[in-house]
Amino acid sequence: AQTIHQWPVAEIKAVGSPLSLGCTIKGKSSPNLYWYWQATGGTLQQLFYSITVGQVESVVQLNLSASRPKDDQFILSTEKLLLSHSGFYLCAWSLTRGFSGNTLYFGEGSRLIVV
Amino acid sequence: GEKVEQHESTLSVREGDSAVINCTYTDTASSYFPWYKQEAGKSLHFVIDIRSNVDRKQSQRLTVLLDKKAKRFSLHITATQPEDSAIYFCAASPPRGSALGRLHFGAGTQLIVIP
């Protein structure tokens, strides 16, 4: 069975400080990977997606970057946090390559508060 | 681009009654429509989906209806239980070839099941 693990579960960070959020998928080789952001009480915004190691596509610009250093790992980061980065960050994976209508499976999320 | 709207921000029903959550979309080429459930403070979990080649799909107490002509789809929950209380997100996926896995989410409907 596939499992998805996100870390950290929650963080409180200062404005201007760096951030790194991680996501690991086990039990599935070469998944499609995604980062989503959910503002408090808000809808979901896709940030990045990746179909293979070393290849990441940006969907929206929020002064964030993403990398896929390994097949099963997806990292979201920034060097300088803004207050607007606060929210719930969700990593997700999907099975099928090259098809947009596939089901997303989400991790448990990382909650970020920027102060 | 695609815009998905959920018409009810909050829906309250009595335990045992049925609940219906409605969504509309704008892109006639959208072909995949999943639903996700988010319990308080938690991540999203896939509940059911429908593809544009059918107009109805049922899984236990959940039924999804799709009206392509009206560009509308809905989630029907029968015999509601307190554990059905959550935010439900609908989503629509653009056609094959566009941004991979680019699910456009609605703003969510808070379902409250009153015991």
Side-chain angles (χ1 to χ4, degrees):
Chain A
Q2 297 87 7
T3 59
I4 179 169
H5 173 62
Q6 284 189 244
W7 73 92
V9 172
E11 281 230 81
I12 300 175
K13 302 274 284 185
V15 169
S17 63
L19 173 76
S20 181
L21 302 178
C23 173
T24 299
I25 291 86
K26 296 298 182 188
K28 177 64 188 168
S29 64
S30 304
N32 299 328
L33 297 176
Y34 311 85
W35 278 111
Y36 277 81
W37 174 70
Q38 184 181 35
T40 303
T43 192
L44 294 132
Q45 174 67 63
Q46 189 183 47
L47 301 177
F48 299 94
Y49 68 90
S50 170
I51 63 171
T52 191
V53 175
Q55 185 177 330
V56 177
E57 300 296 330
S58 173
V59 177
V60 292
Q61 295 294 330
L62 285 178
N63 287 316
L64 295 167
S65 60
S67 64
R68 188 169 177 177
K70 300 179 186 177
D71 185 55
D72 64 353
Q73 197 173 76
F74 207 18
I75 307 295
L76 183 70
S77 60
T78 183
E79 292 186 1
K80 281 189 178 181
L81 279 166
L82 307 173
L83 285 173
S84 57
H85 285 138
S86 293
F88 196 34
Y89 289 85
L90 294 158
C91 180
W93 65 273
S94 67
L95 278 172
T96 311
R97 287 186 179 279
F99 176 56
S100 61
N102 44 9
T103 304
L104 292 182
Y105 299 94
F106 287 88
E108 293 309 305
S110 294
R111 197 166 301 280
L112 174 66
I113 299 172
V114 182
V115 296
Chain B
E2 174 67 278
K3 187 174 180 182
V4 177
E5 291 194 10
Q6 287 186 243
H7 302 280
E8 305 91 1
S9 58
T10 305
L11 177 63
S12 294
V13 299
R14 294 216 171 268
E15 182 178 356
D17 288 350
S18 294
V20 181
I21 302 172
N22 296 289
C23 287
T24 55
Y25 61 98
T26 56
D27 189 345
T28 53
S30 285
S31 58
Y32 174 65
F33 307 92
W35 288 85
Y36 289 85
K37 177 182 181 182
Q38 185 177 33
E39 295 174 9
K42 296 191 176 178
S43 184
L44 274 74
H45 292 280
F46 170 78
V47 289
I48 192 170
D49 60 11
I50 191 168
R51 297 183 190 271
S52 58
N53 59 336
V54 297
D55 54 18
R56 184 178 190 275
K57 182 176 179 179
Q58 182 174 357
S59 174
Q60 299 181 318
R61 295 187 296 110
L62 304 178
T63 301
V64 182
L65 301 179
L66 174 62
D67 181 344
K68 291 188 290 290
K69 211 172 190 178
K71 288 186 278 187
R72 180 173 58 215
F73 59 113
S74 55
L75 175 67
H76 298 244
I77 307 173
T78 58
T80 53
Q81 301 164 4
E83 50 265 39
D84 293 329
S85 296
I87 300 175
Y88 289 83
F89 289 93
C90 63
S93 181
R96 186 189 294 241
S98 57
L100 185 66
R102 185 79 178 267
L103 285 181
H104 297 269
F105 282 88
T109 296
Q110 172 81 62
L111 174 65
I112 301 168
V113 179
I114 304 164

